[in-house]
Coordinates of all heavy atoms in Angstrom, one line a residue:
D317 N 25.8 36.5 -28.8 CA 26.0 37.9 -28.4 C 25.4 38.2 -27.1 O 24.2 37.9 -26.9 CB 25.3 38.7 -29.5 CG 25.7 40.2 -29.5 OD1 26.0 40.7 -28.4 OD2 25.8 40.8 -30.6
L319 N 24.7 41.1 -26.0 CA 24.0 42.3 -26.2 C 24.3 43.3 -25.0 O 25.0 42.9 -24.1 CB 22.4 42.1 -26.3 CG 22.0 41.2 -27.4 CD1 20.4 41.1 -27.3 CD2 22.4 41.6 -28.8
N320 N 23.8 44.5 -25.2 CA 24.1 45.5 -24.1 C 22.9 46.0 -23.4 O 22.9 47.0 -22.8 CB 24.9 46.7 -24.8 CG 25.8 47.4 -23.8 OD1 26.5 46.8 -23.0 ND2 25.7 48.7 -23.8
S340 N 23.0 37.2 -32.1 CA 23.7 37.7 -33.3 C 24.9 36.7 -33.5 O 25.3 36.0 -32.6 CB 24.2 39.1 -33.2 OG 25.6 39.2 -32.9
I342 N 27.9 37.4 -34.0 CA 29.1 38.1 -33.8 C 30.4 37.2 -33.7 O 31.4 37.4 -34.3 CB 29.0 39.2 -32.7 CG1 30.3 40.0 -32.6 CG2 28.7 38.5 -31.4 CD1 30.5 40.9 -33.7
R363 N 15.8 37.9 -30.3 CA 16.0 38.7 -29.2 C 14.7 38.9 -28.5 O 13.9 39.7 -29.0 CB 16.6 40.1 -29.6 CG 18.0 39.9 -30.3 CD 18.7 41.2 -30.6 NE 19.9 40.9 -31.4 CZ 20.7 41.8 -31.9 NH1 20.4 43.1 -31.7 NH2 21.8 41.5 -32.6
Q381 N 19.3 39.8 -39.9 CA 20.2 40.8 -40.2 C 21.2 40.3 -41.3 O 21.6 39.2 -41.3 CB 20.9 41.5 -39.0 CG 21.8 40.6 -38.2 CD 22.5 41.3 -37.1 OE1 23.0 42.5 -37.4 NE2 22.6 40.8 -36.0
R469 N 28.3 49.8 -25.5 CA 28.4 48.7 -26.4 C 29.0 47.4 -25.7 O 29.5 47.5 -24.7 CB 29.3 49.0 -27.6 CG 28.6 50.0 -28.6 CD 27.5 49.4 -29.4 NE 26.9 50.3 -30.3 CZ 25.9 51.2 -30.0 NH1 25.5 51.3 -28.8 NH2 25.5 52.0 -31.0
E470 N 28.9 46.3 -26.4 CA 29.4 45.0 -25.9 C 30.9 45.0 -25.8 O 31.6 45.8 -26.4 CB 28.9 43.9 -26.8 CG 27.4 43.8 -27.0 CD 26.8 44.7 -28.0 OE1 27.5 45.6 -28.6 OE2 25.6 44.6 -28.3
Y472 N 33.0 43.1 -27.2 CA 33.8 42.6 -28.3 C 34.3 43.7 -29.3 O 35.1 43.4 -30.2 CB 33.0 41.5 -29.0 CG 31.6 41.8 -29.4 CD1 31.3 42.7 -30.4 CD2 30.5 41.2 -28.8 CE1 30.0 43.0 -30.8 CE2 29.2 41.5 -29.1 CZ 29.0 42.4 -30.2 OH 27.7 42.7 -30.5
D473 N 33.8 44.9 -29.2 CA 34.2 45.9 -30.1 C 35.5 46.6 -29.5 O 35.7 46.8 -28.3 CB 33.1 46.9 -30.3 CG 32.0 46.3 -31.2 OD1 32.3 45.4 -32.0 OD2 30.9 46.8 -31.2
D485 N 33.8 52.2 -33.2 CA 32.5 51.6 -33.6 C 31.8 52.6 -34.6 O 32.2 53.8 -34.6 CB 31.6 51.6 -32.4 CG 31.6 50.2 -31.8 OD1 32.5 49.4 -32.1 OD2 30.7 49.9 -31.0
D487 N 27.5 53.4 -36.0 CA 26.1 53.1 -36.2 C 25.7 54.0 -37.4 O 26.0 55.1 -37.5 CB 25.2 53.5 -35.1 CG 25.3 52.6 -33.9 OD1 26.0 51.6 -34.0 OD2 24.6 52.8 -32.9
S499 N 24.8 48.6 -37.2 CA 25.7 48.8 -36.1 C 26.9 47.9 -36.3 O 26.7 46.8 -36.8 CB 24.9 48.3 -34.8 OG 25.7 48.5 -33.7
G500 N 28.0 48.4 -36.0 CA 29.2 47.6 -36.2 C 30.5 48.2 -35.7 O 30.4 49.3 -35.0
G501 N 31.6 47.6 -36.0 CA 32.9 48.2 -35.4 C 34.0 47.3 -35.7 O 33.9 46.1 -36.2
R503 N 36.9 44.8 -34.2 CA 36.7 43.9 -33.1 C 38.0 43.8 -32.2 O 39.1 43.8 -32.8 CB 36.5 42.4 -33.6 CG 35.4 42.4 -34.7 CD 34.1 43.0 -34.2 NE 33.1 42.9 -35.3 CZ 31.9 43.4 -35.4 NH1 31.5 44.2 -34.3 NH2 31.1 43.3 -36.4
Ligands
MG725 MG1 26.5 44.8 -31.3

Side-chain angles (χ1 to χ4, degrees):
D317 196 329
L319 305 180
N320 206 44
S340 96
I342 184 70
R363 298 185 185 177
Q381 62 173 322
R469 288 292 181 274
E470 300 84 353
Y472 50 72
D473 287 337
D485 265 16
D487 280 3
S499 182
R503 312 305 178 189

